[in-house]
Amino acid sequence: MRFEGVWFRYARRAPWALRGAEATVEAGRTVVVLGPNGAGKSTLLQLAAGVLRPVRGAVRDRPAVVGWVPERFPAAQPFTAIGYLRAMAQVRGLPPAAADPWVERLGLAPHAGTALTDLSKGTAQKVGLAQALLAPPGLLVLDEPWEGLDAASRTLVPEIVAEVTGGGGAVLVSDHRGEIAGLPDAEHWLLTDGELRQAPEPCPSATAGRAAGEPPRAGERTAGEVAADDVVVEVVVRRHEADAAVVRLRASGHRVLGVRERSATAEEPR
Amino acid sequence: MIALARMRTAGFLRSGRALAPLVAVLVVLSVLHGGAASPPASAYGYSAAALFAVLAWITKLVLDTEPDVQRRLARVAVGGLREAAAGLLAAAVLGLGVCLLAMLAPIPFGGIRSPLPGSGEPSTAVGVLLGVLAHLLALLGALALGALSGRAVTRRVLPGVAVLVTGSVLTVVLGLRGSIAPWLAPPVMATARALSEGTAPAAGVLLGLAGWALLWCAAALALYARLRRGRS
Protein backbone atom coordinates (compact mmCIF):
# COMPACT_ATOMS: atom_id res chain seq x y z
CA MET A 1 0.00 0.00 0.00
CA ARG A 2 1.33 3.44 -0.94
CA PHE A 3 0.73 6.99 0.25
CA GLU A 4 1.22 9.20 -2.81
CA GLY A 5 1.62 12.85 -1.86
CA VAL A 6 -1.20 12.67 0.68
CA TRP A 7 -2.42 15.97 2.09
CA PHE A 8 -5.26 16.09 4.59
CA ARG A 9 -7.13 18.67 6.64
CA TYR A 10 -10.39 18.32 8.56
CA ALA A 11 -12.12 21.42 7.16
CA ARG A 12 -11.54 23.83 4.32
CA ARG A 13 -9.99 26.55 6.47
CA ALA A 14 -8.39 24.24 9.01
CA PRO A 15 -4.60 23.87 9.05
CA TRP A 16 -3.17 20.85 7.25
CA ALA A 17 -3.05 17.83 9.57
CA LEU A 18 -0.86 15.93 7.10
CA ARG A 19 1.37 17.45 4.45
CA GLY A 20 2.55 15.59 1.37
CA ALA A 21 3.02 12.18 2.97
CA GLU A 22 4.95 9.76 0.73
CA ALA A 23 5.46 6.24 2.02
CA THR A 24 4.98 2.57 1.21
CA VAL A 25 3.90 -0.28 3.44
CA GLU A 26 5.12 -3.60 2.09
CA ALA A 27 3.02 -6.72 2.56
CA GLY A 28 4.18 -8.73 5.56
CA ARG A 29 5.80 -5.72 7.24
CA THR A 30 5.02 -3.86 10.43
CA VAL A 31 5.26 -0.08 10.55
CA VAL A 32 5.27 1.80 13.83
CA VAL A 33 4.16 5.43 13.54
CA LEU A 34 5.80 7.57 16.19
CA GLY A 35 5.23 11.17 17.08
CA PRO A 36 4.07 13.48 19.82
CA ASN A 37 0.39 14.07 20.66
CA GLY A 38 -1.43 15.94 17.92
CA ALA A 39 1.26 15.21 15.31
CA GLY A 40 -1.28 13.50 13.05
CA LYS A 41 -0.73 9.82 13.89
CA SER A 42 -4.45 8.99 14.11
CA THR A 43 -5.12 10.98 10.94
CA LEU A 44 -2.45 9.04 9.03
CA LEU A 45 -3.81 5.74 10.33
CA GLN A 46 -7.38 6.63 9.39
CA LEU A 47 -6.23 7.60 5.90
CA ALA A 48 -4.48 4.23 5.65
CA ALA A 49 -7.61 2.37 6.80
CA GLY A 50 -9.81 4.28 4.35
CA VAL A 51 -11.82 5.97 7.09
CA LEU A 52 -10.68 9.38 5.85
CA ARG A 53 -10.14 10.36 2.21
CA PRO A 54 -7.08 12.40 1.24
CA VAL A 55 -7.84 16.00 0.28
CA ARG A 56 -4.94 15.82 -2.19
CA GLY A 57 -2.96 12.82 -3.34
CA ALA A 58 -4.07 9.22 -2.97
CA VAL A 59 -3.66 6.03 -0.98
CA ARG A 60 -3.15 3.24 -3.52
CA ASP A 61 -3.22 -0.58 -3.47
CA ARG A 62 -5.05 -0.83 -0.16
CA PRO A 63 -5.76 -4.53 0.55
CA ALA A 64 -9.39 -5.61 0.21
CA VAL A 65 -9.82 -6.58 3.87
CA VAL A 66 -8.82 -3.88 6.33
CA GLY A 67 -9.09 -4.18 10.10
CA TRP A 68 -9.07 -0.91 12.02
CA VAL A 69 -8.80 -0.66 15.80
CA PRO A 70 -9.77 2.90 16.73
CA GLU A 71 -8.03 4.70 19.56
CA ARG A 72 -11.20 4.56 21.64
CA PHE A 73 -13.74 1.80 21.06
CA PRO A 74 -17.27 3.26 20.63
CA ALA A 75 -18.87 1.49 23.60
CA ALA A 76 -22.06 3.60 23.66
CA GLN A 77 -24.09 1.00 21.77
CA PRO A 78 -27.05 -1.09 22.94
CA PHE A 79 -25.42 -4.50 22.37
CA THR A 80 -23.71 -7.10 24.52
CA ALA A 81 -20.05 -7.83 23.70
CA ILE A 82 -20.88 -11.13 21.99
CA GLY A 83 -23.97 -9.66 20.29
CA TYR A 84 -21.86 -6.85 18.87
CA LEU A 85 -19.07 -9.12 17.63
CA ARG A 86 -21.53 -11.56 16.04
CA ALA A 87 -23.31 -8.70 14.29
CA MET A 88 -19.97 -7.33 13.05
CA ALA A 89 -19.05 -10.81 11.77
CA GLN A 90 -22.27 -10.83 9.75
CA VAL A 91 -21.56 -7.31 8.48
CA ARG A 92 -18.26 -8.73 7.19
CA GLY A 93 -20.21 -11.50 5.44
CA LEU A 94 -19.13 -14.20 7.91
CA PRO A 95 -21.29 -16.53 9.98
CA PRO A 96 -21.98 -15.13 13.49
CA ALA A 97 -19.94 -17.96 15.02
CA ALA A 98 -16.79 -16.46 13.44
CA ALA A 99 -16.69 -14.17 16.49
CA ASP A 100 -16.46 -16.99 19.03
CA PRO A 101 -12.76 -17.96 18.61
CA TRP A 102 -11.72 -14.34 19.17
CA VAL A 103 -13.92 -14.08 22.25
CA GLU A 104 -12.07 -17.06 23.70
CA ARG A 105 -8.61 -15.96 22.62
CA LEU A 106 -8.87 -12.39 23.91
CA GLY A 107 -10.31 -13.59 27.22
CA LEU A 108 -13.68 -11.97 26.58
CA ALA A 109 -15.72 -15.07 27.45
CA PRO A 110 -16.54 -13.97 31.04
CA HIS A 111 -17.80 -10.62 29.63
CA ALA A 112 -19.60 -12.02 26.57
CA GLY A 113 -23.05 -11.27 27.94
CA THR A 114 -22.11 -7.88 29.40
CA ALA A 115 -23.50 -4.74 27.78
CA LEU A 116 -20.82 -2.78 25.88
CA THR A 117 -21.59 0.27 28.02
CA ASP A 118 -20.74 -1.69 31.20
CA LEU A 119 -17.34 -2.97 30.02
CA SER A 120 -14.12 -1.64 31.49
CA LYS A 121 -11.94 0.42 29.18
CA GLY A 122 -9.47 -2.41 28.61
CA THR A 123 -12.17 -4.98 27.91
CA ALA A 124 -13.90 -2.63 25.48
CA GLN A 125 -10.53 -2.16 23.78
CA LYS A 126 -10.33 -5.95 23.36
CA VAL A 127 -13.75 -5.95 21.71
CA GLY A 128 -12.36 -3.28 19.37
CA LEU A 129 -9.38 -5.51 18.65
CA ALA A 130 -11.59 -8.56 18.05
CA GLN A 131 -13.84 -6.82 15.51
CA ALA A 132 -10.81 -5.87 13.42
CA LEU A 133 -9.62 -9.50 13.27
CA LEU A 134 -12.90 -11.27 12.43
CA ALA A 135 -11.85 -11.55 8.78
CA PRO A 136 -8.07 -12.08 8.37
CA PRO A 137 -6.95 -8.55 7.46
CA GLY A 138 -4.64 -7.73 4.54
CA LEU A 139 -3.99 -4.49 6.40
CA LEU A 140 -4.35 -4.15 10.15
CA VAL A 141 -4.37 -0.60 11.49
CA LEU A 142 -3.90 -0.32 15.26
CA ASP A 143 -4.31 3.10 16.86
CA GLU A 144 -2.62 2.97 20.28
CA PRO A 145 -3.67 -0.68 20.78
CA TRP A 146 -2.05 -0.95 24.22
CA GLU A 147 -4.21 1.79 25.73
CA GLY A 148 -6.08 0.39 28.74
CA LEU A 149 -4.82 -3.19 28.36
CA ASP A 150 -3.45 -4.95 31.43
CA ALA A 151 0.04 -6.47 31.52
CA ALA A 152 -1.20 -9.96 30.67
CA SER A 153 -3.04 -8.72 27.57
CA ARG A 154 -0.21 -6.52 26.28
CA THR A 155 1.71 -9.49 24.93
CA LEU A 156 -1.34 -10.35 22.82
CA VAL A 157 -0.76 -7.38 20.53
CA PRO A 158 2.71 -8.42 19.28
CA GLU A 159 1.41 -12.01 18.92
CA ILE A 160 -1.48 -10.90 16.75
CA VAL A 161 0.76 -8.54 14.75
CA ALA A 162 3.15 -11.43 14.07
CA GLU A 163 0.27 -13.63 12.91
CA VAL A 164 -1.04 -10.99 10.51
CA THR A 165 2.39 -10.25 9.01
CA GLY A 166 3.13 -14.00 8.89
CA GLY A 167 0.00 -14.41 6.77
CA GLY A 168 1.26 -11.77 4.32
CA GLY A 169 -0.68 -8.87 5.81
CA ALA A 170 0.73 -5.45 6.62
CA VAL A 171 0.37 -3.81 10.02
CA LEU A 172 0.39 -0.12 10.81
CA VAL A 173 0.52 0.74 14.48
CA SER A 174 0.81 4.00 16.39
CA ASP A 175 2.41 4.22 19.78
CA HIS A 176 3.45 7.00 22.10
CA ARG A 177 4.22 4.96 25.19
CA GLY A 178 7.32 3.04 24.19
CA GLU A 179 5.51 -0.29 23.89
CA ILE A 180 7.12 -0.96 20.52
CA ALA A 181 9.74 -3.07 22.26
CA GLY A 182 7.44 -5.99 21.52
CA LEU A 183 7.62 -5.40 17.76
CA PRO A 184 11.27 -6.13 16.99
CA ASP A 185 11.33 -6.00 13.18
CA ALA A 186 9.13 -2.98 12.72
CA GLU A 187 9.92 -0.10 10.39
CA HIS A 188 9.60 3.28 12.08
CA TRP A 189 7.88 6.33 10.66
CA LEU A 190 8.08 9.63 12.44
CA LEU A 191 5.37 12.27 12.29
CA THR A 192 6.04 15.79 13.45
CA ASP A 193 3.57 18.60 12.74
CA GLY A 194 1.98 16.71 9.88
CA GLU A 195 5.31 15.93 8.16
CA LEU A 196 5.98 12.23 7.66
CA ARG A 197 9.54 10.96 7.62
CA GLN A 198 10.78 7.41 7.47
CA ALA A 199 13.61 6.36 9.73
CA PRO A 200 16.57 5.61 7.41
CA GLU A 201 16.85 1.97 8.45
CA PRO A 202 14.80 -0.19 10.76
CA CYS A 203 15.98 0.87 14.18
CA PRO A 204 16.99 -1.66 16.74
CA SER A 205 13.99 -1.59 19.00
CA ALA A 206 13.76 -1.92 22.74
CA THR A 207 16.27 0.86 23.18
CA ALA A 208 13.99 2.54 25.67
CA GLY A 209 13.60 -0.63 27.67
CA ARG A 210 17.20 -1.66 27.76
CA ALA A 211 18.55 -2.03 31.26
CA ALA A 212 21.54 -0.12 32.53
CA GLY A 213 24.87 -1.70 31.85
CA GLU A 214 23.61 -3.88 28.99
CA PRO A 215 26.07 -3.84 26.11
CA PRO A 216 25.15 -1.88 23.00
CA ARG A 217 23.53 -3.96 20.27
CA ALA A 218 25.33 -5.23 17.22
CA GLY A 219 25.67 -2.50 14.64
CA GLU A 220 25.67 0.30 17.16
CA ARG A 221 28.95 2.08 17.49
CA THR A 222 30.33 2.61 20.96
CA ALA A 223 31.54 5.86 22.45
CA GLY A 224 35.09 4.81 21.59
CA GLU A 225 34.34 5.22 17.88
CA VAL A 226 33.67 8.94 18.09
CA ALA A 227 35.74 10.63 15.42
CA ALA A 228 38.06 13.56 16.09
CA ASP A 229 35.69 16.24 14.75
CA ASP A 230 32.63 14.84 16.58
CA VAL A 231 31.28 16.01 19.90
CA VAL A 232 29.11 13.92 22.21
CA VAL A 233 25.87 15.60 23.34
CA GLU A 234 24.13 13.93 26.25
CA VAL A 235 20.38 14.26 26.17
CA VAL A 236 17.80 13.41 28.81
CA VAL A 237 14.30 12.51 27.59
CA ARG A 238 11.19 11.19 29.25
CA ARG A 239 11.07 7.41 29.32
CA HIS A 240 8.00 7.08 27.07
CA GLU A 241 9.48 9.47 24.53
CA ALA A 242 12.82 7.70 24.31
CA ASP A 243 12.06 5.68 21.18
CA ALA A 244 10.62 8.66 19.37
CA ALA A 245 13.67 10.75 20.31
CA VAL A 246 16.08 8.08 19.04
CA VAL A 247 14.21 7.81 15.76
CA ARG A 248 14.10 11.59 15.42
CA LEU A 249 17.81 11.98 16.09
CA ARG A 250 18.68 9.24 13.62
CA ALA A 251 16.33 10.72 11.04
CA SER A 252 18.25 14.00 11.39
CA GLY A 253 21.51 12.19 10.58
CA HIS A 254 22.91 11.94 14.12
CA ARG A 255 24.35 8.80 15.62
CA VAL A 256 22.78 7.53 18.82
CA LEU A 257 25.47 5.92 20.94
CA GLY A 258 23.27 4.33 23.51
CA VAL A 259 20.35 4.62 25.89
CA ARG A 260 20.72 4.06 29.59
CA GLU A 261 18.78 4.31 32.81
CA ARG A 262 19.12 7.47 34.83
CA SER A 263 20.58 5.51 37.75
CA ALA A 264 23.53 4.59 35.53
CA THR A 265 24.51 8.22 34.98
CA ALA A 266 26.84 8.31 37.90
CA GLU A 267 28.53 11.52 36.84
CA GLU A 268 27.08 14.63 38.41
CA PRO A 269 26.95 17.85 36.34
CA ARG A 270 30.50 19.07 36.01
CA MET B 1 -25.29 -4.49 3.54
CA ILE B 2 -28.42 -6.28 4.80
CA ALA B 3 -26.58 -7.44 7.93
CA LEU B 4 -25.47 -3.85 8.59
CA ALA B 5 -29.02 -2.55 8.03
CA ARG B 6 -30.29 -5.20 10.45
CA MET B 7 -27.65 -4.23 13.04
CA ARG B 8 -28.61 -0.57 12.75
CA THR B 9 -32.34 -1.28 12.97
CA ALA B 10 -31.73 -3.34 16.12
CA GLY B 11 -29.51 -0.60 17.56
CA PHE B 12 -32.18 2.03 16.89
CA LEU B 13 -35.04 0.01 18.37
CA ARG B 14 -33.02 -0.96 21.47
CA SER B 15 -31.76 2.56 22.07
CA GLY B 16 -35.24 3.80 22.96
CA ARG B 17 -35.02 6.61 20.43
CA ALA B 18 -38.04 5.23 18.62
CA LEU B 19 -40.41 6.30 21.39
CA ALA B 20 -40.68 10.04 20.64
CA PRO B 21 -41.40 9.68 16.89
CA LEU B 22 -43.83 6.82 17.63
CA VAL B 23 -45.81 9.13 19.94
CA ALA B 24 -45.72 11.80 17.21
CA VAL B 25 -47.04 9.30 14.64
CA LEU B 26 -49.90 8.28 16.93
CA VAL B 27 -50.83 11.91 17.68
CA VAL B 28 -50.83 12.84 13.98
CA LEU B 29 -52.91 9.82 13.00
CA SER B 30 -55.46 10.22 15.78
CA VAL B 31 -55.92 13.93 15.02
CA LEU B 32 -56.28 13.20 11.29
CA HIS B 33 -58.72 10.31 11.53
CA GLY B 34 -60.47 11.17 14.78
CA GLY B 35 -62.88 13.65 13.18
CA ALA B 36 -65.49 13.07 10.47
CA ALA B 37 -64.91 10.18 8.05
CA SER B 38 -63.46 11.05 4.61
CA PRO B 39 -63.10 9.13 1.35
CA PRO B 40 -60.00 6.87 1.58
CA ALA B 41 -57.93 8.66 -1.10
CA SER B 42 -58.33 12.02 0.59
CA ALA B 43 -57.74 10.66 4.12
CA TYR B 44 -54.59 8.82 3.12
CA GLY B 45 -53.31 11.73 0.99
CA TYR B 46 -53.33 14.05 3.99
CA SER B 47 -51.99 11.37 6.35
CA ALA B 48 -48.98 10.98 4.01
CA ALA B 49 -48.40 14.75 3.94
CA ALA B 50 -48.72 15.04 7.72
CA LEU B 51 -46.33 12.14 8.32
CA PHE B 52 -43.64 13.47 5.94
CA ALA B 53 -41.80 15.43 8.63
CA VAL B 54 -42.03 12.53 11.12
CA LEU B 55 -40.66 10.08 8.53
CA ALA B 56 -37.73 12.44 7.84
CA TRP B 57 -37.14 12.74 11.59
CA ILE B 58 -37.13 8.94 11.99
CA THR B 59 -34.58 8.69 9.15
CA LYS B 60 -32.32 11.20 10.89
CA LEU B 61 -32.67 9.34 14.21
CA VAL B 62 -31.84 5.97 12.62
CA LEU B 63 -28.76 7.38 10.89
CA ASP B 64 -27.61 9.23 14.02
CA THR B 65 -28.09 6.40 16.53
CA GLU B 66 -24.68 4.77 16.24
CA PRO B 67 -21.56 6.64 17.39
CA ASP B 68 -19.43 8.27 14.66
CA VAL B 69 -16.57 5.83 15.26
CA GLN B 70 -18.91 2.85 14.80
CA ARG B 71 -20.07 4.33 11.49
CA ARG B 72 -16.41 4.52 10.44
CA LEU B 73 -15.85 0.91 11.52
CA ALA B 74 -18.81 -0.10 9.34
CA ARG B 75 -17.29 1.89 6.47
CA VAL B 76 -13.98 0.04 6.83
CA ALA B 77 -15.87 -3.29 6.89
CA VAL B 78 -18.16 -2.84 3.87
CA GLY B 79 -16.98 0.28 2.01
CA GLY B 80 -18.43 3.80 1.91
CA LEU B 81 -21.21 3.23 -0.61
CA ARG B 82 -22.67 0.14 1.04
CA GLU B 83 -22.35 1.71 4.48
CA ALA B 84 -24.44 4.70 3.34
CA ALA B 85 -26.94 2.46 1.53
CA ALA B 86 -27.34 0.24 4.61
CA GLY B 87 -28.30 3.28 6.70
CA LEU B 88 -30.95 4.30 4.17
CA LEU B 89 -32.22 0.72 3.97
CA ALA B 90 -32.64 0.55 7.77
CA ALA B 91 -34.51 3.87 7.73
CA ALA B 92 -36.67 2.71 4.79
CA VAL B 93 -37.70 -0.50 6.58
CA LEU B 94 -38.70 1.41 9.71
CA GLY B 95 -40.44 4.05 7.56
CA LEU B 96 -42.42 1.32 5.80
CA GLY B 97 -43.52 0.11 9.24
CA VAL B 98 -44.83 3.61 10.01
CA CYS B 99 -46.60 3.71 6.61
CA LEU B 100 -48.27 0.36 7.37
CA LEU B 101 -49.43 1.76 10.71
CA ALA B 102 -50.80 4.82 8.88
CA MET B 103 -52.69 2.61 6.42
CA LEU B 104 -54.31 0.67 9.27
CA ALA B 105 -54.99 3.66 11.52
CA PRO B 106 -58.35 4.73 10.00
CA ILE B 107 -59.87 1.33 10.85
CA PRO B 108 -60.17 1.76 14.66
CA PHE B 109 -61.07 5.46 14.25
CA GLY B 110 -63.64 4.83 11.52
CA GLY B 111 -61.82 7.53 9.60
CA ILE B 112 -62.75 6.47 6.08
CA ARG B 113 -66.15 6.07 4.47
CA SER B 114 -67.38 4.35 1.32
CA PRO B 115 -67.76 6.49 -1.82
CA LEU B 116 -71.10 8.36 -2.08
CA PRO B 117 -73.21 6.92 -4.90
CA GLY B 118 -73.13 9.08 -8.04
CA SER B 119 -70.34 11.36 -6.72
CA GLY B 120 -67.63 9.95 -9.04
CA GLU B 121 -65.42 9.18 -6.05
CA PRO B 122 -63.03 6.24 -6.54
CA SER B 123 -63.96 2.93 -4.95
CA THR B 124 -62.55 2.09 -1.53
CA ALA B 125 -60.04 -0.36 -3.07
CA VAL B 126 -58.72 2.25 -5.51
CA GLY B 127 -58.66 4.81 -2.71
CA VAL B 128 -56.54 2.50 -0.55
CA LEU B 129 -54.12 1.87 -3.45
CA LEU B 130 -53.81 5.61 -4.01
CA GLY B 131 -53.12 5.94 -0.29
CA VAL B 132 -50.32 3.38 -0.49
CA LEU B 133 -48.78 5.32 -3.38
CA ALA B 134 -49.04 8.63 -1.47
CA HIS B 135 -47.25 7.16 1.56
CA LEU B 136 -44.50 5.62 -0.57
CA LEU B 137 -43.90 8.95 -2.36
CA ALA B 138 -43.77 10.76 1.00
CA LEU B 139 -41.34 8.15 2.34
CA LEU B 140 -38.98 8.65 -0.64
CA GLY B 141 -38.73 12.38 -0.04
CA ALA B 142 -38.50 11.93 3.72
CA LEU B 143 -35.60 9.46 3.41
CA ALA B 144 -33.63 11.93 1.31
CA LEU B 145 -34.35 14.90 3.59
CA GLY B 146 -33.59 12.86 6.73
CA ALA B 147 -30.31 11.66 5.22
CA LEU B 148 -29.25 15.24 4.42
CA SER B 149 -29.95 16.27 8.02
CA GLY B 150 -27.96 13.34 9.47
CA ARG B 151 -24.90 13.94 11.64
CA ALA B 152 -22.66 12.23 9.09
CA VAL B 153 -23.37 15.20 6.79
CA THR B 154 -23.90 18.13 9.15
CA ARG B 155 -21.28 16.97 11.70
CA ARG B 156 -22.91 18.90 14.55
CA VAL B 157 -26.36 18.66 16.17
CA LEU B 158 -27.76 22.13 15.56
CA PRO B 159 -27.16 22.35 11.77
CA GLY B 160 -28.77 18.90 11.45
CA VAL B 161 -31.92 20.02 13.28
CA ALA B 162 -31.95 23.22 11.18
CA VAL B 163 -31.83 21.21 7.91
CA LEU B 164 -34.63 18.90 9.10
CA VAL B 165 -36.95 21.69 10.29
CA THR B 166 -36.27 24.01 7.34
CA GLY B 167 -36.72 21.17 4.85
CA SER B 168 -40.01 20.08 6.43
CA VAL B 169 -41.39 23.63 6.54
CA LEU B 170 -40.29 24.37 2.96
CA THR B 171 -41.92 21.15 1.75
CA VAL B 172 -45.26 22.47 3.02
CA VAL B 173 -44.74 26.13 2.04
CA LEU B 174 -43.37 25.41 -1.44
CA GLY B 175 -46.10 22.81 -1.92
CA LEU B 176 -48.95 25.28 -1.36
CA ARG B 177 -51.23 26.13 -4.29
CA GLY B 178 -49.68 28.95 -6.35
CA SER B 179 -46.13 28.32 -5.08
CA ILE B 180 -43.42 29.96 -7.19
CA ALA B 181 -41.04 26.99 -7.10
CA PRO B 182 -42.95 23.82 -6.19
CA TRP B 183 -40.28 21.59 -7.81
CA LEU B 184 -37.77 22.60 -5.13
CA ALA B 185 -39.66 20.39 -2.66
CA PRO B 186 -40.87 16.78 -2.91
CA PRO B 187 -44.50 16.58 -4.18
CA VAL B 188 -46.06 15.74 -0.83
CA MET B 189 -48.64 18.54 -0.82
CA ALA B 190 -49.35 18.18 -4.56
CA THR B 191 -50.09 14.47 -4.02
CA ALA B 192 -52.43 15.21 -1.12
CA ARG B 193 -54.31 17.76 -3.26
CA ALA B 194 -54.55 15.41 -6.25
CA LEU B 195 -56.03 12.71 -4.03
CA SER B 196 -58.65 14.94 -2.41
CA GLU B 197 -60.29 16.30 -5.54
CA GLY B 198 -63.25 13.94 -5.38
CA THR B 199 -62.59 11.97 -8.55
CA ALA B 200 -59.59 9.68 -8.95
CA PRO B 201 -56.60 11.49 -10.49
CA ALA B 202 -55.71 10.59 -14.07
CA ALA B 203 -52.91 8.07 -14.62
CA GLY B 204 -50.79 10.82 -16.21
CA VAL B 205 -51.07 12.95 -13.08
CA LEU B 206 -50.02 10.03 -10.89
CA LEU B 207 -47.07 9.21 -13.17
CA GLY B 208 -46.04 12.86 -13.09
CA LEU B 209 -46.14 12.90 -9.27
CA ALA B 210 -44.19 9.63 -9.03
CA GLY B 211 -41.56 10.90 -11.51
CA TRP B 212 -41.27 14.20 -9.60
CA ALA B 213 -40.82 12.38 -6.27
CA LEU B 214 -38.25 9.98 -7.75
CA LEU B 215 -36.27 12.78 -9.42
CA TRP B 216 -36.28 14.91 -6.27
CA CYS B 217 -35.20 11.95 -4.17
CA ALA B 218 -32.46 11.02 -6.66
CA ALA B 219 -31.11 14.58 -6.73
CA ALA B 220 -31.15 14.86 -2.93
CA LEU B 221 -29.47 11.45 -2.49
CA ALA B 222 -26.83 12.35 -5.09
CA LEU B 223 -26.09 15.44 -2.99
CA TYR B 224 -26.02 13.19 0.10
CA ALA B 225 -23.52 10.82 -1.55
CA ARG B 226 -21.35 13.75 -2.60
CA LEU B 227 -21.36 15.30 0.87
CA ARG B 228 -20.63 11.93 2.50
CA ARG B 229 -17.59 11.32 0.25
CA GLY B 230 -15.57 14.04 1.91
CA ARG B 231 -16.83 13.31 5.43
CA SER B 232 -16.31 10.20 7.49
Side-chain angles (χ1 to χ4, degrees), chain A residues 114-145:
Chain A
T114 309
L116 289 179
T117 44
D118 294 341
L119 293 177
S120 72
K121 191 182 172 201
T123 313
Q125 185 69 6
K126 286 187 202 170
V127 176
L129 197 56
Q131 63 77 28
L133 298 162
L134 292 170
L139 172 69
L140 179 62
V141 179
L142 303 165
D143 201 347
E144 305 284 352

Side-chain angles (χ1 to χ4, degrees), chain A residues 51 53 66 77-78 84 131, chain B residues 14 70 72-73 76 229 232:
Chain A
V51 175
R53 289 169 57 89
V66 178
Q77 301 187 63
Y84 172 80
Q131 63 77 28
Chain B
R14 285 184 206 175
Q70 179 56 36
R72 290 171 197 150
L73 284 171
V76 168
R229 264 171 71 89
S232 59

Side-chain angles (χ1 to χ4, degrees), chain A residues 7-114:
Chain A
W7 291 67
F8 184 83
R9 60 183 165 191
Y10 283 92
R12 200 159 285 179
R13 294 210 184 92
W16 290 104
L18 199 65
R19 290 194 295 265
E22 291 274 355
T24 305
V25 192
E26 305 284 348
R29 292 305 306 265
T30 306
V31 173
V32 178
V33 184
L34 299 164
N37 290 341
K41 295 193 295 293
S42 280
T43 305
L44 182 81
L45 262 52
Q46 291 184 56
L47 284 159
V51 175
L52 299 175
R53 289 169 57 89
V55 175
R56 292 184 206 158
V59 179
R60 298 210 190 278
D61 302 331
R62 184 186 292 119
V65 180
V66 178
W68 173 51
V69 180
E71 195 176 358
R72 272 184 292 271
F73 176 74
Q77 301 187 63
F79 300 105
T80 60
I82 187 75
Y84 172 80
L85 288 173
R86 285 185 176 157
M88 284 305 278
Q90 287 179 293
V91 167
R92 294 254 183 200
L94 304 166
D100 300 357
W102 287 106
V103 170
E104 286 298 323
R105 174 141 183 224
L106 295 176
L108 287 167
H111 311 285
T114 309

